[in-house]
């Protein structure tokens, strides 16, 4: 392996360990990372070489994102997208901030069983999705929005996701605080 690949490999490895990193927009983007603009800041995300597919990750036994309960994480991400992707004709990034209770309300409509336990698990999944760049979670304000990884979704892959989100019910008025 040539030395010219080393910076990109190290940058991807560092990003996998630290998660999505936000830096001032004026900072240069290290090799091996993709830059996603977000106002005065830029999110740095690992980028894979052209032609790399999920099969490459499987070959090296790397999960695309660390998940304990992947089905649950996908449902929480779908609930967040339903609340944060306000205009489905636009791109999902940067999305709009949505109250965490609204996301949990949409998620509760997708699950069965103990609602309190499901809410705690969903809150943990929101944190994990934020750690991996799929969402941006501001726990102090109690809001979430789409994360910088959604900016990297290819346009042609968004159609089925839009169809799914159009069929999902939105949050209740109470969850939105519109009582």
């Amino acid at each position: 392996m040539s030395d010219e690949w080393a910076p990109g490999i190290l940058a991807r490895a560092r990003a996998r360990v630290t998660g999505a990193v936000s830096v001032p927009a004026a900072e240069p983007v290290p090799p091996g990372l993709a830059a996603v603009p977000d106002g005065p800041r830029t999110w740095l995300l690992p980028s894979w070489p052209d032609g790399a597919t999920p099969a490459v990750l499987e070959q090296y036994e790397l999960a695309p994102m660390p998940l304990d309960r992947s089905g649950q994480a996908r449902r929480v991400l779908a609930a967040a997208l339903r609340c944060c992707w306000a205009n489905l004709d636009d791109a999902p990034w940067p999305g709009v901030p949505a109250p965490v209770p609204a996301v949990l309300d949409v998620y509760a409509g997708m699950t069965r069983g103990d609602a309190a336990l499901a809410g705690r698990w969903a809150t943990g999944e929101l944190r994990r999705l934020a750690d991996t760049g799929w969402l941006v979670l501001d726990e102090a304000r109690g809001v979430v929005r789409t994360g910088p990884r959604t900016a990297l979704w290819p346009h042609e892959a968004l159609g089925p996701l839009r169809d799914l989100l159009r069929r999902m019910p939105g949050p209740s008025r109470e969850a939105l605080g519109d009582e």
Side-chain angles (χ1 to χ4, degrees):
M1 185 179 309
S2 71
D3 289 340
E4 66 187 59
W5 287 58
I9 293 168
L10 292 174
R12 281 193 295 279
R14 192 174 300 113
R16 286 188 58 78
V17 171
T18 62
V21 177
S22 174
V23 299
E27 283 194 24
V29 178
L33 296 179
V36 178
D38 189 14
R41 304 206 48 89
T42 298
W43 291 90
L44 302 178
L45 299 167
S47 61
W48 296 96
D50 289 342
T53 65
V56 171
L57 297 178
E58 290 174 18
Q59 179 181 352
Y60 289 99
E61 298 177 8
L62 296 171
M65 72 187 254
L67 299 172
D68 294 330
R69 294 174 296 274
S70 61
Q72 183 174 341
R74 285 191 298 264
R75 285 187 292 276
V76 171
L77 179 59
L81 287 171
R82 177 63 179 89
C83 296
C84 301
W85 191 357
N87 183 353
L88 294 177
D89 293 328
D90 292 339
W93 172 258
V96 297
V100 169
V103 174
L104 296 178
D105 184 61
V106 171
Y107 174 77
M110 299 165 57
T111 60
R112 296 182 217 168
D114 184 343
L117 180 60
R120 287 192 302 274
W121 281 352
T123 300
E125 292 302 332
L126 282 173
R127 290 178 182 133
R128 280 184 278 287
L129 289 164
D131 288 345
T132 55
W134 291 104
L135 298 174
V136 175
L137 177 63
D138 184 341
E139 290 193 70
R141 290 181 40 223
V143 296
V144 64
R145 68 179 173 104
T146 57
R149 284 191 182 278
T150 64
L152 302 179
W153 280 337
H155 179 71
E156 59 275 4
L158 297 178
L161 186 55
R162 286 181 171 112
D163 292 341
L164 170 71
L165 295 176
R166 283 186 177 104
R167 291 190 308 267
M168 288 176 58
S172 67
R173 294 177 58 85
E174 295 82 25
L176 289 169
D178 294 341
E179 301 173 71

